Amino acid sequence: MSIFNHEKRKPHYGDLQGKILLKGVPPSYPIDYTELLQRAEKVLPPSVLNYIESGSGDGRTQHRNVQAFSEWGIVPRMLVDCTNRDLSVELFGYTQPNPLFMSPIGANAFCTSDGHGDIAAAKASAISGVPFVASTLANDPMETVIQHCGDVPAWFQLYVPRSRELAESFIQRAEQSGYRALVITLDMWVHGWRPCDIRAGHFPDQEDVWLQNYFSDPVFRDSLSHTPEENVTLAVKAFRRLFGEALTWDHVAWLREVTKLPIVLKGICHGEDARRAADMGVDAIYCSNHGGRQANSGIAAIDMLPEVVEGAGDTPVLFDSGIRSGADILTAIAMGATAVGIGRPYSYGLAVDGASGAAHVLRCLLAEADLIMAVNGYPSLADLRNAGARRVS
Ligand code: FNR
């Protein structure tokens, strides 16, 4: 009989560290965010880097999103058996093995040299087990993208267009192709003030590259005098006219009627908005300030999370904006988030090495989170949530 008690121990995300160290050579991929950004800066075309990296106004909200995490901490507890950790969460009626998701990023297309970054992101989801939220703005139609997600559930993010017929067509396509939730982004019906893009003289969305969900849509195509293949300029103009419905609470009631998919409202940062959304029966509330890209409001998203969680009551709260490490993930969960979205870090992972690069970023984040739980005496996310986060400054 072995003197080691191995039976008790299951595989864990944190095992990644041991696997890298066992090889005895420095890894070829970046390990933390600083290194990741430096590597992405070397490979991304300046215009793409500028678009992803920048925020609105002077960037204070974007920076504050990240900085604010250093003002919160997790209190270590000792003598708790954490041989096995449970990072799983229940969402939309199924269990996922980790509390992450890949936030919708409309610039994925530009992050890989083949221009098919949405497919690469979907593959990263399949490799890492982290659900992918496919953006409306994509270089491959949603039906193609989801085929690369493997067994991992994917969600579709909708920028609601100014035509209900077109919106319903997108929603129907998302349902039929197997997306498991519908994320409605509330804070992008108009572009925020983005000096970096203005200085560059363009938004990438002035190009046709990421409009494939539009160009493949039967309702959109029927509305054109020429197909996008015949006259792309006209198609882009039609997109610009249609993009960005100014949403109100009435739209939420309409969305509830037109789909059976779980509805997630993205961009909620106020407790009363969260309460109202929960009262209207949405399935999750997504606390986010779009990574500080839309309004330079000056308040970090994480500082709004407690009131959103309180307002949401029993409705799950998703969170993103400023997550750069495993410690940040756990802080958001300790503050009441059910699941946490990774944004810019996985885009930079895509830039470094496509699907493998993005999957590596997600795995490192999970490994760090898992090991913090192990060392700090939290065997499950529920234990962490019960303990809460502590303000350190
Ligand atoms: C975004 N975000 C975004 N959100 C959304 O609902 N639909 C989209 O298409 C996009 N596109 C997009 C492009 C780029 C380049 C960025 C950086 C972000 C916002 C995204 O989902 C998420 O809220 C932020 O990325 C979170 O902030 P951090 O953590 O990336 O700083």
Side-chain angles (χ1 to χ4, degrees):
M1 201 180 102
S2 164
I3 58 166
F4 297 109
N5 184 3
H6 276 318
E7 300 102 63
K8 275 176 73 186
R9 201 190 172 289
K10 298 180 187 148
H12 285 94
Y13 290 111
D15 298 345
L16 177 69
Q17 173 162 261
K19 281 183 196 151
I20 294 173
L21 293 175
L22 260 182
K23 287 188 185 158
V25 288
S28 56
Y29 284 151
I31 294 299
D32 67 15
Y33 185 74
T34 309
E35 213 182 338
L36 175 65
L37 181 56
Q38 284 164 356
R39 287 280 293 276
E41 282 169 348
K42 283 192 189 138
V43 289
L44 279 175
S47 64
V48 177
L49 180 68
N50 179 57
Y51 182 71
I52 299 175
E53 215 174 13
S54 60
S56 65
D58 65 3
R60 79 177 66 162
T61 309
Q62 179 181 356
H63 295 303
R64 180 91 198 112
N65 276 344
V66 174
Q67 235 175 30
F69 277 98
S70 62
E71 290 157 24
W72 294 95
I74 291 160
V75 181
R77 301 299 305 268
M78 294 297 122
L79 301 169
V80 181
D81 183 1
C82 286
T83 314
N84 290 312
R85 279 89 61 196
D86 180 6
L87 273 73
S88 70
V89 292
E90 295 280 329
L91 255 183
F92 313 134
Y94 60 88
T95 306
Q96 64 174 67
N98 62 71
L100 298 191
F101 60 92
M102 297 165 73
S103 298
I105 299 269
N108 282 340
F110 306 102
C111 290
T112 56
S113 50
D114 67 357
H116 293 280
D118 300 288
I119 289 181
K123 288 181 179 167
S125 165
I127 299 169
S128 63
V130 174
F132 176 47
V133 188
S135 169
T136 305
L137 301 176
N139 193 24
D140 284 283
M142 63 180 103
E143 292 83 355
T144 311
V145 170
I146 196 171
Q147 283 169 24
H148 296 273
C149 290
D151 296 333
V152 183
W155 313 339
F156 181 71
Q157 175 266 327
L158 182 66
Y159 281 134
V160 178
R162 287 187 205 143
S163 148
R164 287 207 175 185
E165 204 191 345
L166 179 59
E168 289 178 20
S169 176
F170 282 144
I171 293 170
Q172 216 174 50
R173 289 172 61 195
E175 284 172 353
Q176 283 169 0
S177 49
Y179 288 89
R180 304 276 287 270
L182 185 67
V183 176
I184 306 293
T185 300
L186 307 176
D187 59 3
M188 233 323 255
W189 65 276
V190 64
H191 276 284
W193 180 252
R194 294 192 198 159
C196 289
D197 293 326
I198 303 168
R199 248 175 249 122
H202 60 83
F203 289 124
D205 61 341
Q206 286 180 330
E207 296 166 21
D208 54 306
V209 192
W210 59 6
L211 299 186
Q212 295 313 311
N213 279 323
Y214 273 78
F215 290 2
S216 58
D217 191 275
V219 172
F220 180 73
R221 293 177 76 88
D222 279 355
S223 73
L224 303 173
S225 57
H226 295 80
T227 65
E229 297 76 34
E230 287 162 355
N231 191 332
V232 74
T233 313
L234 274 185
V236 172
K237 276 190 186 154
F239 156 75
R240 285 194 207 137
R241 277 196 306 273
L242 282 163
F243 186 82
E245 173 78 335
L247 297 169
T248 67
W249 291 103
D250 292 341
H251 290 87
V252 180
W254 156 67
L255 288 162
R256 192 66 290 175
E257 268 171 31
V258 299
T259 184
K260 293 257 178 305
L261 282 176
I263 293 177
V264 181
L265 296 186
K266 178 174 190 271
I268 300 269
C269 288
H270 193 289
E272 273 172 32
D273 292 347
R275 192 167 296 115
R276 188 160 178 187
D279 287 346
M280 289 187 83
V282 305
D283 299 275
I285 290 161
Y286 188 157
C287 175
S288 162
N289 61 16
H290 217 106
R293 295 169 70 72
Q294 275 298 88
N296 196 19
S297 326
I299 307 176
I302 192 69
D303 287 335
M304 305 311 307
L305 181 61
E307 72 172 76
V308 170
V309 168
E310 199 188 330
D314 293 336
T315 304
V317 174
L318 313 183
F319 175 84
D320 80 16
S321 295
I323 301 283
R324 301 291 179 260
S325 68
D328 298 342
I329 293 167
L330 296 188
T331 300
I333 288 171
M335 290 169 73
T338 297
V340 174
I342 309 302
R344 288 178 174 95
Y346 91 76
S347 312
Y348 295 141
L350 285 177
V352 169
D353 193 19
S356 314
H360 170 79
V361 168
L362 297 165
R363 282 173 164 164
C364 285
L365 290 167
L366 284 167
E368 187 195 350
D370 178 43
L371 291 175
I372 292 174
M373 286 174 65
V375 177
N376 272 358
Y378 295 102
S380 76
L381 298 179
D383 292 309
L384 184 67
R385 221 171 270 123
N386 286 339
R390 185 174 293 186
R391 220 185 225 294
V392 293
S393 63

